Amino acid sequence: FDQTNLSLIHFNIRSLPKYYSDLKAYLACICIKYTVICLSETWLNSSSVDLYHLEDYNHVHKHRDELDFIGKSKGGGVSLLIKEHVEFKCRNDLDVFTEDLESLFIQIDKDQINSDKDVVIGVVYRPPNRKIETCIEYMKGILETVRCENRYCYFLGDYNINILNIDSHSATSDFLDVMYSNSFLPMINKPTRVRENSATLIDNVYTNCFNECKIVTGVLHTDLSDHFPIFLISDTGK
């Protein structure tokens, strides 16, 4: 794929301050310089966020001490790092940042990434102790907003919804039904979090761009976090 095409990667980083050097070293070893790097569980706050950036990338972010619902609680937080030469605008109308769902969205003009349509990119994190049903309601609102915009959308993140359980867990089935009914498909089909006695598929890329575009997706094996990174590279059609 041409480097001018769209390339996305997501890490559940479980503390960017802790793994900042490891993340930079890992990205330096990858031959692809991703258009957008999505991070969940950054564990940043207002006093630390300016300390953690990547060379040649712009950083947009949300962290928990920005809002009152969790106060100064540590954990959580989402970030998008966008290649410095790529112009974008924040889609604050799509953002949800509550105790039930943390998300952040941008829009990139089609000419910036060799696409035939503008692209909306989001990072999503659902805390594991919150109800899936509430997440579903928030996702319905986001999908309703983008439905009529005629743009490609890519939502990457840690949903903490194990889609390997679709046949045995009704809330998981309901979540996927909402995504499918809005023409969004999951692009990752292998476990993204593997422990000694379990393997779950809780990190994913959901997109409505799958008909004519050439797409490569995958799971990268690394011990950078207890989640494997996931990526998507798309020839977006131009």
Side-chain angles (χ1 to χ4, degrees):
F1 283 89
D2 193 303
Q3 286 285 313
T4 61
N5 290 330
L6 184 67
S7 53
L8 310 171
I9 191 168
H10 167 263
F11 298 85
N12 177 310
I13 196 68
R14 287 187 57 82
S15 179
L16 184 57
K18 181 177 181 179
Y19 294 108
Y20 177 58
S21 296
D22 293 335
L23 176 65
K24 290 199 299 181
Y26 184 76
L27 291 170
C29 295
I30 298 176
C31 60
I32 297 172
K33 303 305 178 186
Y34 286 91
T35 313
V36 180
I37 300 167
C38 307
L39 303 177
S40 59
E41 287 205 80
T42 59
W43 296 15
L44 296 175
N45 55 46
S46 56
S47 62
S48 65
V49 67
D50 291 334
L51 301 175
Y52 300 99
H53 56 86
L54 295 178
E55 186 177 358
D56 300 326
Y57 282 85
N58 291 308
H59 186 190
V60 295
H61 47 80
K62 286 185 178 291
H63 39 86
R64 287 186 176 178
D65 68 348
E66 292 178 307
L67 300 178
D68 293 333
F69 71 89
I70 283 179
K72 300 298 182 182
S73 173
K74 71 175 184 178
V78 287
S79 288
L80 293 170
L81 295 125
I82 305 99
K83 266 188 177 180
E84 197 169 47
H85 73 272
V86 176
E87 296 180 10
F88 66 94
K89 67 177 182 179
C90 294
R91 286 295 305 267
N92 298 323
D93 58 318
L94 299 176
D95 294 350
V96 174
F97 202 82
T98 71
E99 59 189 335
D100 296 295
L101 190 70
E102 303 179 11
S103 62
L104 181 62
F105 297 86
I106 61 169
Q107 182 175 314
I108 300 176
D109 184 88
K110 60 184 181 181
D111 293 331
Q112 294 287 310
I113 49 173
N114 195 35
S115 174
D116 62 341
K117 293 182 182 181
D118 293 348
V119 173
V120 173
I121 298 165
V123 57
V124 178
Y125 173 65
R126 185 188 75 85
N129 59 337
R130 309 306 298 181
K131 290 184 177 179
I132 293 177
E133 292 81 0
T134 307
C135 172
I136 290 172
E137 292 306 309
Y138 280 125
M139 291 304 299
K140 283 181 179 177
I142 294 168
L143 296 169
E144 182 177 352
T145 301
V146 301
R147 181 184 300 131
C148 300
E149 294 186 355
N150 193 32
R151 296 186 174 99
Y152 295 135
C153 299
Y154 301 89
F155 302 160
L156 297 85
D158 173 11
Y159 294 81
N160 276 301
I161 299 174
N162 181 17
I163 65 172
L164 299 178
N165 288 341
I166 184 173
D167 294 329
S168 59
H169 191 254
S170 60
T172 298
S173 178
D174 291 343
F175 173 79
L176 284 173
D177 284 346
V178 167
M179 303 305 288
Y180 292 153
S181 64
N182 285 275
S183 300
F184 278 73
L185 298 182
M187 295 288 102
I188 304 300
N189 58 15
K190 303 295 183 184
T192 59
R193 193 182 192 197
V194 178
R195 294 180 166 182
E196 184 176 352
N197 298 311
S198 67
T200 55
L201 205 181
I202 56 178
D203 307 89
N204 223 310
V205 185
Y206 291 89
T207 182
N208 61 355
C209 176
F210 48 84
N211 288 327
E212 299 179 0
C213 301
K214 297 177 182 177
I215 292 178
V216 174
T217 64
V219 179
L220 300 173
H221 287 206
T222 172
D223 58 1
L224 183 64
S225 168
D226 63 343
H227 295 240
F228 295 143
I230 56 175
F231 72 89
L232 179 147
I233 305 168
S234 175
D235 176 357
T236 45
K238 194 169 180 179

